[in-house]
Amino acid sequence: QVQLVESGGGLVQAGDSLRLSCERSGSTLNNIATAWFRQPPGKPREFVAAITWSDSIRYADSVKGRFSIFRDNAKKSVSLQMNSLKPEDTAVYYCAIQWRSNEYDLWGAGTQVTVSS
């Protein structure tokens, strides 16, 4: 059974950095469209960043210039480097891939990121 596992969340202060990682159990994420979403407390889930199978990248306006999504070929994972974190970045962060369709149809369980002011 294919599973996605996120890691790297935690509690940090405003201005700090965190790196999240998304791995696919028993396999690689190379050439697979992968995205990060987040769900802040009491709010709906929102798009954060995505990297396509051909490595095109896009970001939500709220994270442009602060977050970077990239493939870690050594670890066969997709990472999200988050710099200059703000309290409003507090959320559960989810990794998702386009597994059986052109939609993000396979999701991880999420990792909590909490940014204190």
Side-chain angles (χ1 to χ4, degrees), residues 90-101:
T90 294
V92 178
Y93 283 72
Y94 298 91
C95 172
I97 64 173
Q98 294 179 359
W99 176 235
R100 296 188 183 278
S101 70

Side-chain angles (χ1 to χ4, degrees), residues 5-12 17-23 29 34-39 48-49 63 66-72 75 77-83 85 89-96 110-115:
V5 179
E6 303 98 335
S7 61
L11 172 62
V12 297
S17 298
L18 275 177
R19 180 177 292 185
L20 305 183
S21 182
C22 176
E23 298 185 21
L29 287 175
T34 306
W36 287 93
F37 294 78
R38 66 186 182 186
Q39 186 165 18
V48 175
V63 306
R66 299 188 299 122
F67 290 13
S68 296
I69 187 171
F70 59 95
R71 296 191 185 280
D72 186 333
K75 296 182 179 180
S77 63
V78 171
S79 294
L80 183 69
Q81 177 67 41
M82 306 186 295
N83 298 329
L85 283 162
D89 294 318
T90 294
V92 178
Y93 283 72
Y94 298 91
C95 172
T111 186
Q112 177 71 46
V113 172
T114 303
V115 185

